[in-house]
Amino acid sequence: MKDHTHPEGTPPSEINHLRQELQHLQAQNHQLAGTCRLLEQKFQLLFDSCENAIAFFLLNSDDTPGPFIQVNRAALNQWRCSEAEVQQLTPLDITAPEVRPEFLQKLRELRTGGEVRFETEQVARDGTRFTVEIFARQTLWDGHFLVLAIGRDVSWEQQAQARLNSYSAHLEAEVKARTAELVAANRRLEQEVMERRQAEEALKTSQEYARNIIECSLDMIIAVNLDRHIIEFNRAAQETFGYTRDEAIGAHVSMLYADQDEADYVYRVATEQGRCVQEVLNRRKNGEVFPSYLSASVLYDAAGNKIGVMGISRDITARRQAQMALEQRNRELAMLNRISQSLISSSLDLPDLLATILEETRNLLNIVACSIWLVDPLTGELVCREATEPQREVVVGWRLAPGQGLAGWVVQTGQSLNIPDVQDEPRHFQGVDQKTGLKLRSILTVPLVTKQKVVGVIQAVDEAANRFTANDLRLMEAVAANAAAAIENARLYEEVRQSAAAKAMLLKEVNHRVKNNLAAIVGLLYAERKHAAVKENREFQALIQDLIGRVQGMAVVHDMLSAAEWSPILLSELVSQVAHTSLQLLPGGRHIQVNITPSDITVPPRQATPLALIINELVTNSAKYAFHEHQRGRIDIRFSRQGQMVRLEFRDDGAGYPESVLRDRQFNVGLYLLHLIVQQDLEGSLSLRNDGGAVATLEFRYLPAT
């Protein structure tokens, strides 16, 4: 009986053999698919964690770029666009118009050379322009030329590498349903073989992509296993550390760190927290230590188990050096600012100011000593006016002949001089070394110039050769400018001080003589009043008394101005003293109360004397006429100011002004003098009225203190 299970002519043993091979291939394909998924995960992690822009695009047959196939997140951030927008773009859309011909030329070179590296200008979708360094490599994908391009924004050194997204192929759909056992077996076998070849090709392609990304990265990429042995060491790491790939693979990662504790800390934080980002100190193969910025992340297998740590780092030596240079410049500017503030706020004590300048300079340059030498205008010699330790007592006061030594040469030529080693310098005065005991090697000398004339030098010395740089010379010239300004200010201050002292002495003598003369005049008036021939003449006695009051008022003003050193004085204080002095000169027996409103209005000397005469006349007039029938009276004096005008109101509670006076029909000497002083000396106005007594209102222009 025939077996209809198998086609005729096919032995069962062969069919079983084919089934076993099919099962074996299926097992291999399953294992291969797991390996592909693991690689895809690694590639995806690398693609996503890369902080440089990565893009895949087609290269047309005419060497023009086609649309983007895939870009990572860093590229989207760098170009300021979304995934939907980037699918409508080509590399030319993000390339600056002026550099597009050069970009197309690089693509043509890519066709012939396989890979290119160049810098170009890109424009983000929001218009932001930036310079990028691009590494591009050509590969063949599904019969088309595909370009892998990696771009790094070189405008910002601190940008991290954009994250990388790996590209991998997916396995074909499941094998079609079984047909007839023999036919199905043959077809399945063919299908499995084809899928295996595709998986191998996809794995090979993924490995090539990953290797290209790692090797083309401008940052160092280093991966270690759980034992912290190096399993990945890219080209940038080799160039930076000086180790070859063969030397690094399998070695412990601690050899790349300057501090073992720091290496342990980075690994512990990365494995415990998933990531560690910080600055570290690395060590090159030649032992040189350098700083780098590291971002370390954990690696996982397909089952989610930790298999190691991958780090992406960048050498930041240049950035550190730039930062140190900036900090040094800030210290220099701060020192110059302190020196400038000292010039503004100091008491112009030249020795103290020069000592401050020299000590600041010595500390900033970190040198042995500094000194300032000034030219003696009488002898032409250079005299050391100030110096820092050591040997300050020996150097200060030392004199050099005109033209002697480096300092003398600088004074004669007016040029700065930087001697890297004085042992080979014939102009150096060896007596300096012998007298101070210092073995000087480097000397920097800068002239002090005021009003286009060299008045001295500032000198910095050190015991090390080649100590001073061009930057030190620039700083010393700035310090010299401040020191020269200090010297000139001190000279001017001394001239002003001597002139002020002479003026003060002269003013004191003038005040003394004026006071004596006023006292002599008062004495003569008193003597004249006591003369026998005029004792019975009451009008003459009153006239003499008025003159005494006026002179005494002027004396009061003179005393107040002398005490104030002829500065503006308070109007209320002036009126108070003149009013009380005038009342003291009147005959006794009357009690007149004077009320003066306090005020902060001041008057200059040119207005003080006329005001004193006016107050004396008003007080005398009230005492004579307002209260002649009363033993008691009251005087009120008030002040106000409106804008630039000062108002003084004098009021008594007496009988008031006669009608003839108010109508300008009667004038005596006192009223005439009042109007004359107000109009000519104060350029003001005086009005008289009655309101419960006599009221005089004086208005004049306020003169502020200058």
Side-chain angles (χ1 to χ4, degrees), residues 131-305:
T131 304
V132 295
E133 183 180 24
I134 294 179
F135 177 85
R137 173 172 291 184
Q138 172 186 273
T139 184
L140 190 63
W141 176 260
D142 197 18
H144 299 281
F145 285 106
L146 191 66
V147 176
L148 162 65
I150 301 177
R152 181 168 70 95
D153 185 354
V154 296
S155 302
W156 304 95
E157 287 298 327
Q158 295 185 352
Q159 282 190 341
Q161 198 77 1
R163 296 189 174 180
L164 187 60
N165 186 14
S166 65
Y167 181 81
S168 63
H170 297 283
L171 294 174
E172 294 289 335
E174 295 182 357
V175 182
K176 297 180 180 180
R178 296 180 182 180
T179 57
E181 190 170 340
L182 184 57
V183 176
N186 288 333
R187 290 180 179 176
R188 184 62 177 272
L189 181 59
E190 292 175 358
Q191 183 69 19
E192 292 290 341
V193 170
M194 182 181 66
E195 290 179 356
R196 180 175 179 179
R197 288 176 179 173
Q198 290 177 346
E200 289 175 350
E201 184 64 27
L203 177 60
K204 181 179 179 181
T205 302
S206 298
Q207 290 175 337
E208 182 180 354
Y209 286 161
R211 175 53 51 195
N212 287 338
I213 292 172
I214 293 175
E215 290 302 317
C216 295
S217 174
L218 301 176
D219 289 331
M220 299 173 282
I221 299 178
I222 303 170
V224 299
N225 57 21
L226 294 178
D227 294 329
R228 300 170 64 189
H229 291 104
I230 300 173
I231 58 175
E232 182 58 62
F233 202 72
N234 74 339
R235 184 186 305 170
Q238 297 172 41
E239 294 174 353
T240 303
F241 284 97
Y243 292 102
T244 65
R245 180 179 176 82
D246 293 337
E247 290 175 329
I249 297 298
H252 199 276
V253 73
S254 60
M255 74 175 186
L256 305 179
Y257 286 85
D259 186 354
Q260 180 63 47
D261 293 337
E262 189 172 50
D264 296 341
Y265 174 79
V266 170
Y267 182 79
R268 182 174 69 255
V269 171
T271 53
E272 292 177 357
Q273 302 180 12
R275 191 179 184 190
C276 179
V277 180
Q278 68 175 59
E279 291 187 6
V280 298
L281 288 179
N282 292 123
R283 188 185 302 278
R284 306 186 202 273
K285 183 179 179 180
N286 60 9
E288 179 186 349
V289 175
F290 68 96
S292 70
Y293 190 78
L294 171 66
S295 175
S297 302
V298 177
L299 292 174
Y300 297 91
D301 62 12
N305 299 315

Side-chain angles (χ1 to χ4, degrees), residues 29 39 113 118 148 213 228 234 242 275 285 293 296 315 366 512 541 588 635-636 679 694 700 703:
N29 285 338
L39 288 175
F118 62 96
L148 162 65
I213 292 172
R228 300 170 64 189
N234 74 339
R275 191 179 184 190
K285 183 179 179 180
Y293 190 78
D315 186 349
N366 193 24
H512 180 69
Q541 287 285 334
I635 296 176
D636 294 311
Q679 293 175 3
F700 59 94
L703 298 179

Side-chain angles (χ1 to χ4, degrees), residues 465-697:
N466 300 303
R467 177 61 180 80
F468 300 108
T469 64
N471 187 60
D472 295 333
L473 174 59
R474 177 185 55 78
L475 176 63
M476 282 289 288
E477 288 176 343
V479 172
N482 283 279
I487 295 170
E488 179 65 12
N489 289 346
R491 184 187 66 79
L492 294 175
Y493 173 76
E494 182 61 23
E495 291 180 359
V496 171
R497 188 191 65 78
Q498 293 178 359
S499 176
K503 290 180 179 179
M505 183 177 296
L506 179 61
L507 182 60
K508 183 178 180 180
E509 179 64 22
V510 170
N511 289 336
H512 180 69
R513 292 188 179 184
V514 170
K515 185 176 181 179
N516 289 343
N517 291 338
L518 290 175
I521 292 173
V522 172
L524 290 174
L525 290 174
Y526 273 116
E528 188 67 24
R529 191 179 66 175
K530 293 179 180 180
H531 195 272
V534 297
K535 282 185 178 182
E536 301 302 327
N537 191 334
R538 292 184 178 181
E539 292 183 359
F540 189 77
Q541 287 285 334
L543 178 62
I544 295 296
Q545 184 63 37
D546 290 345
L547 290 176
I548 292 174
R550 291 164 186 157
V551 175
Q552 286 284 30
M554 295 174 62
V556 168
V557 174
H558 180 77
D559 289 343
M560 292 181 66
L561 291 175
S562 297
E565 297 182 351
W566 295 88
S567 298
I569 58 178
L570 287 173
L571 177 58
S572 58
E573 183 66 22
L574 170 66
V575 170
S576 175
Q577 291 200 28
V578 172
H580 287 91
T581 300
S582 299
L583 290 175
Q584 290 175 1
L585 297 175
L586 296 175
R590 294 182 184 179
H591 179 74
I592 300 176
Q593 179 182 353
V594 179
N595 299 316
I596 299 175
T597 303
S599 172
D600 58 356
I601 299 175
T602 60
V603 291
R606 58 176 289 190
Q607 291 181 326
T609 300
L611 285 169
L613 292 174
I614 291 171
I615 295 300
N616 177 75
E617 291 300 326
L618 291 174
V619 171
T620 303
N621 184 72
S622 294
K624 282 184 178 180
Y625 304 111
F627 311 123
H628 66 281
E629 296 180 354
H630 307 281
Q631 295 299 315
R632 291 182 177 274
R634 174 173 173 169
I635 296 176
D636 294 311
I637 305 175
R638 283 177 277 190
F639 316 96
S640 63
R641 177 185 166 191
Q642 293 182 350
Q644 296 298 317
M645 298 302 294
V646 177
R647 181 186 179 93
L648 185 153
E649 183 182 270
F650 183 96
R651 177 189 296 269
D652 64 36
D653 60 351
Y657 293 113
E659 189 67 22
S660 58
V661 171
L662 295 178
R663 294 183 179 182
D664 296 332
R665 295 179 180 177
Q666 177 182 348
F667 280 97
N668 56 26
V669 176
L671 288 176
Y672 174 78
L673 183 62
L674 276 177
H675 285 281
L676 186 64
I677 294 174
V678 169
Q679 293 175 3
Q680 293 187 358
D681 295 339
L682 294 181
E683 297 180 359
S685 63
L686 177 67
S687 62
L688 305 177
R689 61 188 175 89
N690 292 327
D691 182 11
V695 179
T697 302

